[in-house]
Amino acid sequence: MTGHIPFANGMTRIVAMPLPDADGIALAAACLSPAERTLMEKYRHPRRRAEFVAGRLSAKRALLEPQANSLRICADGLRRNPVSPQTAQRIDILPDQAGRPCIEFGSDFGSDGKRTSISISHAAGWVAAACSDRPIGLDIVDGEAATGWSDRHGWLADCPPQWRMRLSALSWGFHECLLKAGALPASAGTLWELANPELAPLLPLRSAAALIADWPAACRLASLEIAVGARVFAGAFMPLDATAMLVMVLLPMQEMQTEYAIEENLSI
């Protein structure tokens, strides 16, 4: 694999995979740079280390693979189309002062990464990363886990009880995506403060009933525009399994035209 980063002309790439087991994490750790390995060693809990390593592997796969616009769901992200460790080690993905992941390419890549937006998430047994030449926010949410999202939100008012937790998690995920993409002002505060709909009036531009009626099957992408005040953003989501959902927002507002592929058969 060469050091060329084919990242221009509106390219957005996303890679998601189930969180690998301990053997898989040991294999994926070969893709870490020295600085990333030092940071990984600060995490004492094995699961937190696993999420860190798998997140970096997902991000480097998204950066280095030759596909243009693509969303790849990888049943075996470690062995199918693997990233060259020698190449991956020349990329640092480290947190800035605010904890956001930032990319620094080795000098031989011919890119300083300034135009590359990156977002990483892990939850519900999955990990995912996105890279784009435009601001992008990505999140994984657990549709069976309670969030701080208020049931008083008008969008959920007519939601059937059996769907309320799942749509609440989806709304929460879109909030986090917007924060990661820099779409919400700093005054918006934390996610816990965003649970108050009066502070952050996010509104999906489809009713809950319409969304439930057209709910996508596992590993099928669905678009969903999101309004925050007078601004409208391009959103999309994908159920990864019976509980986990991949949620994303891409700026500026335009229709998502991402192609996606399922590598091998996922057991859902």
Side-chain angles (χ1 to χ4, degrees):
M1 179 177 293
T2 68
H4 176 59
I5 301 290
F7 209 72
N9 301 321
M11 292 189 182
T12 297
R13 295 193 291 274
I14 300 168
V15 170
M17 67 180 77
L19 189 67
D21 59 18
D23 290 340
I25 291 300
L27 179 64
C31 294
L32 297 180
S33 71
E36 290 170 333
R37 187 174 294 274
T38 297
L39 181 57
M40 177 199 70
E41 291 172 352
K42 295 181 179 180
Y43 295 111
R44 301 301 182 188
H45 195 283
R47 184 174 183 84
R48 185 64 189 92
R49 279 194 175 196
E51 291 170 342
F52 176 86
V53 173
R56 266 55 190 177
L57 176 64
S58 298
K60 292 181 183 186
R61 279 200 61 173
L63 284 164
L64 294 170
E65 288 186 343
Q67 291 85 2
N69 292 318
S70 64
L71 191 163
R72 305 187 71 80
I73 310 299
C74 308
D76 189 347
L78 302 177
R79 296 174 179 83
R80 187 175 177 87
N81 298 327
V83 170
S84 162
Q86 293 76 16
T87 301
Q89 290 169 13
R90 289 150 53 206
I91 301 173
D92 280 320
I93 302 176
L94 299 170
D96 62 13
Q97 292 182 344
R100 295 182 294 262
C102 294
I103 307 167
E104 183 175 342
F105 298 113
S107 59
D108 52 344
F109 275 96
S111 172
D112 59 12
K114 289 183 178 179
R115 296 183 62 247
T116 304
S117 173
I118 188 166
S119 186
I120 301 173
S121 184
H122 38 75
W126 285 80
V127 62
C131 62
S132 181
D133 60 348
R134 291 178 289 155
I136 189 168
L138 175 141
D139 194 33
I140 297 175
V141 297
D142 186 340
E144 294 186 350
T147 69
W149 185 247
S150 173
D151 285 346
R152 295 182 292 109
H153 193 282
W155 186 66
L156 297 173
D158 298 324
C159 178
Q162 66 271 27
W163 280 88
R164 184 173 295 274
M165 186 171 287
R166 185 178 302 182
L167 294 188
S168 176
L170 182 64
S171 298
W172 185 266
F174 276 120
H175 270 103
E176 184 154 352
C177 288
L178 288 166
L179 282 173
K180 289 181 176 181
L184 298 178
S187 59
T190 67
L191 280 174
W192 295 108
E193 291 169 335
L194 290 175
N196 184 339
E198 295 178 359
L199 296 180
L202 177 150
L203 182 65
L205 296 184
R206 294 190 70 190
S207 69
L211 190 60
I212 292 169
D214 294 331
W215 193 260
C219 294
R220 292 296 179 265
L221 187 68
S223 61
L224 183 64
E225 293 181 354
I226 304 297
V228 180
R231 303 177 68 189
V232 177
F233 302 99
F237 73 98
M238 172 184 282
L240 294 169
D241 57 26
T243 61
M245 290 182 286
L246 180 66
V247 187
M248 65 203 79
V249 171
L250 187 66
L251 307 180
M253 165 61 196
Q254 69 175 52
E255 181 181 358
M256 279 200 170
Q257 297 177 339
T258 303
E259 296 295 329
Y260 60 92
I262 311 301
E263 294 189 0
E264 303 182 358
N265 292 322
L266 288 174
S267 296
I268 303 301

